[in-house]
Amino acid sequence: MTVDEREVRTSRTAAPRPATALATPVRGRAHVVLPAYNEAASLPSLLRRIADVARTEQVTAWVVDDGSSDGTADVVTGVADLDVRLVRHPVNLGLGQAVQTGLRAALSDAGEDDFIVVMDADDTHDPALVTRLGNEILAGADVVICSRFVDGGDDKTAPLFRRMLSRGAAVLFRRVLGLVDVHDFTSGFRAYRVSLLTRASTHWGERLVEERGFACMVELLLKLRHCHPVITEVPLELQYDRKQGPSKLKLRRTIVQYLRLLVRDRLTPAPYREL
Ligand SMILES: Nc1nc2c(ncn2[C@@H]2O[C@H](COP(=O)(O)OP(=O)(O)O[C@H]3O[C@H](CO)[C@@H](O)[C@H](O)[C@@H]3O)[C@@H](O)[C@H]2O)c(=O)[nH]1
């Protein structure tokens, strides 16, 4: 089975896209947002791998250095053959704020045919998938999730307790939210159509991402779902064996954040009204 023949699912809740008979879709630039906290050891290798993708794709990488103390900002400069932009938080504001900063920076520069990718900066995500993500967006997807939990995806290189957390969260969110076509709610590797993020960002402004930690990925999906996006998934083989140093995910804190997000979504629908 080739990669392209592997499972790709489309959200059943998606509203039909209006006919754009006269417009020929154009493959735009990939804006790759990399939220980074103390990733000086991993970023050089990751940026080189993104530069390889930039041989065949138009790519801008947006590194958001979130108050790192290990010289993360210093390793970002001077990557050959890659357009890299650095945005810095003077102090650590957390993953959620770094994602929001990166999305806003990329949106301010992106054209309507471009697409925005968010991926981890720890070199465990293969940037070669960016091409596949662009194809999915061109084919009509609004959100593309790189999923560990569809055919062809896996997270077997990750520690057992981390795998249990991600799978448990996926089962819980699918059941409670009824988004049955999404299999990996917490993946940090995704692509978004620019017009979708612009709409959501205009609506929510600074509140687009309120979660500070890893729950921000789920929060974004919950908010975007009110725009009735077409959501597809492509398989992700997590390359956790490339990781330098320990995970920054705090297990108990993240479980609490996931549960709080679910309760808030169920009990207070007001901020999540239709867009
Ligand atoms: N800017 C910023 N980035 C942060 C912070 N904490 C973590 N990150 C960034 O978030 C990414 C993931 O952090 P890791 O510490 O590498 O977590 P992981 O164990 O690889 O997380 C895996 O599981 C998560 C939950 O399922 C997934 O969300 C994630 O994509 C990945 O698969 C990295 O790019 C890391 O720099 C922070 O405070 N600020």
Side-chain angles (χ1 to χ4, degrees), residues 34-39 64-67 89 92-99 119-125 148 162 165-166 184 186-189 212 214 217 236 238 240 243 246-249 254 258:
L34 303 165
Y37 180 54
N38 289 342
E39 296 292 359
V64 183
D65 175 17
D66 189 26
H89 289 167
N92 181 247
L93 298 178
L95 179 60
Q97 284 309 299
V99 167
M119 65 189 290
D120 287 356
D122 62 353
D123 204 23
T124 60
H125 293 158
R148 297 159 286 187
R162 295 298 322 287
L165 172 72
S166 304
D184 194 342
T186 59
S187 170
F189 196 179
R212 289 175 63 93
F214 282 74
M217 291 298 163
L236 169 69
L238 193 65
Y240 218 78
K243 196 171 182 60
S247 169
K248 292 162 190 97
L249 187 147
T254 303
Y258 285 160

Side-chain angles (χ1 to χ4, degrees), residues 1-265:
M1 185 187 286
T2 67
V3 170
D4 285 321
E5 288 164 347
R6 288 177 186 163
E7 181 177 24
V8 175
R9 292 181 171 268
T10 304
S11 168
R12 272 184 229 139
T13 59
R17 186 173 292 289
T20 50
L22 296 177
T24 310
V26 178
R27 178 66 175 280
R29 172 171 289 270
H31 294 263
V32 180
V33 171
L34 303 165
Y37 180 54
N38 289 342
E39 296 292 359
S42 304
L43 267 174
S45 155
L46 175 59
L47 291 173
R48 272 196 305 277
R49 295 210 289 166
I50 296 176
D52 285 343
V53 177
R55 290 170 201 267
T56 52
E57 299 283 334
Q58 301 180 71
V59 179
T60 298
W62 298 84
V63 177
V64 183
D65 175 17
D66 189 26
S68 300
S69 54
D70 70 342
T72 288
D74 302 332
V75 304
V76 170
T77 50
V79 183
D81 304 322
L82 183 63
D83 177 18
V84 189
R85 319 276 177 92
L86 174 66
V87 188
R88 297 185 78 170
H89 289 167
V91 292
N92 181 247
L93 298 178
L95 179 60
Q97 284 309 299
V99 167
Q100 174 147 274
T101 297
L103 291 178
R104 283 173 164 270
L107 276 177
S108 71
D109 194 61
E112 65 179 43
D113 296 321
D114 296 354
F115 58 105
I116 297 183
V117 175
V118 178
M119 65 189 290
D120 287 356
D122 62 353
D123 204 23
T124 60
H125 293 158
D126 185 355
L129 265 180
V130 166
T131 300
R132 177 86 190 270
L133 295 174
N135 290 341
E136 290 289 317
I137 297 282
L138 193 60
D142 298 306
V143 179
V144 192
I145 300 172
C146 297
S147 171
R148 297 159 286 187
F149 310 133
V150 295
D151 281 353
D154 74 62
D155 59 349
K156 59 176 183 271
T157 49
L160 185 61
F161 79 92
R162 295 298 322 287
R163 300 175 66 187
M164 287 168 61
L165 172 72
S166 304
R167 274 165 206 274
V171 171
L172 181 70
F173 287 127
R174 279 187 83 188
R175 288 256 164 108
V176 177
L177 298 173
L179 285 171
V180 291
D181 294 321
V182 176
H183 295 80
D184 194 342
F185 286 84
T186 59
S187 170
F189 196 179
R190 298 193 191 150
Y192 303 96
R193 182 179 293 282
V194 163
S195 58
L196 173 71
L197 280 181
T198 303
R199 228 164 113 199
S201 172
T202 304
H203 182 80
W204 273 289
E206 295 290 333
R207 290 186 301 114
L208 180 62
V209 183
E210 292 170 286
E211 291 289 335
R212 289 175 63 93
F214 282 74
C216 68
M217 291 298 163
V218 187
E219 179 192 13
L220 208 44
L221 208 52
L222 292 185
K223 286 179 169 164
L224 292 177
R225 84 178 193 272
H226 294 285
C227 298
H228 303 287
V230 175
I231 303 174
T232 66
E233 288 183 302
V234 299
L236 169 69
E237 289 180 62
L238 193 65
Q239 300 177 328
Y240 218 78
D241 44 351
R242 298 178 66 92
K243 196 171 182 60
Q244 312 270 341
S247 169
K248 292 162 190 97
L249 187 147
K250 306 275 182 299
L251 192 62
R252 254 185 280 173
R253 189 186 300 172
T254 303
I255 291 172
V256 170
Q257 287 170 355
Y258 285 160
L259 293 176
R260 193 183 56 200
L261 191 60
L262 260 188
V263 171
R264 218 172 64 190
D265 185 71

